[in-house]
Amino acid sequence: MDLTYALDQIGAVRRELTSIYHRGKPARALTAEQTYAADAADVWDALTNPERLPRWFTPVEGDLREGGRYQLTGNAGGTIETCRPPRSLAVTWEYGDGMSWVEVDLAEADGRTTVVLRHIMETDALDEHSKRYGPGAVGIGWDLSLLGLQRHLESGETADPAAVEEWSQSEAGRAFMTRSSDAWFDADVTDGADPADARLRADRTTAFYLGEQEPA
């Protein structure tokens, strides 16, 4: 995956941060939206089929139906709260001691499908990690996931973890993560964050992902 492709992918995603109320409590919603050249049934299958998810994301196991529990290998687990093929999926996102929510909505038009992903975190539950690194700490991970989905829907290929790791250290991979961090900085400022504070959080996030020394 070359540099041009990686940077084009950054521009293909709409990012937004909003302050909302979620289940009666103040929360922050991180939204990432991308349109794919595939019908909704294909995109839904890529997002939910346990045989297909490991080909671009990570293996999943559990009782994979509405009301059931799921577990992503090396990542979050939780409850599948809503599952309405091929339109909407909502899950709790439980990782360590943290609890948040992920919602995914699909809308098809003219054979193309727009995916809207929202990651919702209650304001009172934001930990020191979130406050230090800002939205990019989560946002870069979702950007990498949307990139993996794009590549998978285009080619049908299975991602090689070793090749993905090698790419993340390449010029294209490092540029992708840097531009993703900058894009979430822009979203943070648009949502009302102080630009200087947001810039520091974004710089820490970029350094973390690149394996560099973080600013104080």
Side-chain angles (χ1 to χ4, degrees):
M1 189 190 317
D2 63 20
L3 180 60
T4 299
Y5 186 99
L7 298 186
D8 285 347
Q9 171 65 19
I10 292 294
V13 177
R14 182 185 71 83
R15 300 165 187 82
E16 183 180 35
L17 296 169
T18 50
S19 297
I20 64 171
Y21 275 86
H22 182 256
R23 303 183 182 185
K25 296 182 179 180
R28 204 175 196 200
L30 177 153
T31 300
E33 176 182 321
Q34 182 169 357
T35 299
Y36 295 95
D39 61 33
D42 188 29
V43 177
W44 178 267
D45 189 67
L47 291 170
T48 61
N49 186 332
E51 295 182 0
R52 204 165 163 188
L53 264 175
R55 295 168 62 186
W56 65 273
F57 189 49
T58 193
V60 63
E61 58 184 21
D63 184 12
L64 304 180
R65 59 186 174 86
E66 191 168 278
R69 296 280 299 179
Y70 75 94
Q71 179 62 55
L72 295 168
T73 300
N75 206 316
T79 299
I80 301 170
E81 296 190 320
T82 302
C83 183
R84 297 172 184 164
R87 296 296 177 221
S88 62
L89 177 70
V91 300
T92 63
W93 191 262
E94 302 168 31
Y95 189 80
D97 295 329
M99 170 79 160
S100 54
W101 294 263
V102 172
E103 301 173 350
V104 183
D105 292 314
L106 279 62
E108 182 181 344
D110 300 322
R112 296 170 62 83
T113 302
T114 297
V115 174
V116 180
L117 181 148
R118 284 178 296 276
H119 194 151
I120 301 168
M121 292 153 277
E122 291 180 356
T123 303
D124 290 344
L126 290 174
D127 58 18
E128 289 305 313
H129 183 274
S130 299
K131 294 173 183 176
R132 176 175 175 82
Y133 294 98
V138 172
I140 293 176
W142 286 123
D143 271 337
L144 288 165
S145 299
L146 294 177
L147 170 62
L149 179 58
Q150 168 72 11
R151 293 283 289 176
H152 174 69
L153 291 171
E154 281 183 338
S155 67
E157 296 176 355
T158 299
D160 175 18
V164 171
E165 177 62 26
E166 182 179 353
W167 176 82
S168 71
Q169 300 303 317
S170 70
E171 178 188 7
R174 292 171 70 84
F176 178 88
M177 290 184 283
T178 300
R179 294 291 184 89
S180 171
S181 182
D182 288 343
W184 287 110
F185 158 76
D186 290 339
D188 202 7
V189 172
T190 299
D191 188 44
D194 176 83
D197 290 343
R199 182 71 267 169
L200 181 57
R201 289 194 292 269
D203 288 346
R204 288 178 182 139
T205 297
T206 302
F208 176 83
Y209 272 90
L210 298 185
E212 298 176 348
Q213 181 68 38
E214 296 177 17

